[in-house]
Amino acid sequence: PIIDSVEDLRDTTNSLAVKNVMSDIHEDLLTGASLSQSMAKHPDVFDKLFLGMVITGENTGSFSKIFEHLATHYKWLHDIN
């Protein structure tokens, strides 16, 4: 599930910044925090749109669709900049 995905990201990234954020999130998840609660502690990484979409995924159980929409949105933003 989510905790395994966060752990995989933490363990495979070459970016120290991503590794640190994923380590924090992983620890929070292990102690019972929700993904959105943990991500909210990193506003410099996860903006309000991202957090809102994660909360929607938590409430509806549709994480895969939510992350598809987020990937499309952020790719579009990257492409236009």
Side-chain angles (χ1 to χ4, degrees):
I2 296 296
I3 197 163
D4 295 333
S5 298
V6 170
E7 188 174 356
D8 288 344
L9 285 169
R10 179 198 66 197
D11 294 344
T12 60
T13 185
N14 292 325
S15 166
L16 183 58
V18 172
K19 186 178 291 287
N20 289 337
V21 169
M22 291 300 116
S23 291
D24 289 348
I25 291 172
H26 185 259
E27 290 300 315
D28 286 346
L29 294 174
L30 288 175
T31 62
S34 70
L35 183 60
S36 61
Q37 289 170 329
S38 184
M39 288 179 161
K41 294 179 179 179
H42 301 277
D44 52 320
V45 177
F46 305 106
D47 63 22
K48 289 181 183 182
L49 171 66
F50 196 98
L51 287 174
M53 295 292 281
V54 169
I55 290 167
T56 299
E58 290 171 338
N59 291 334
T60 63
S62 58
F63 273 117
S64 62
K65 186 155 285 286
I66 294 297
F67 283 115
E68 285 177 32
H69 288 299
L70 285 168
T72 301
H73 173 72
Y74 287 106
K75 182 181 181 326
W76 175 78
L77 283 177
H78 175 71
D79 289 348
I80 65 170
N81 287 323

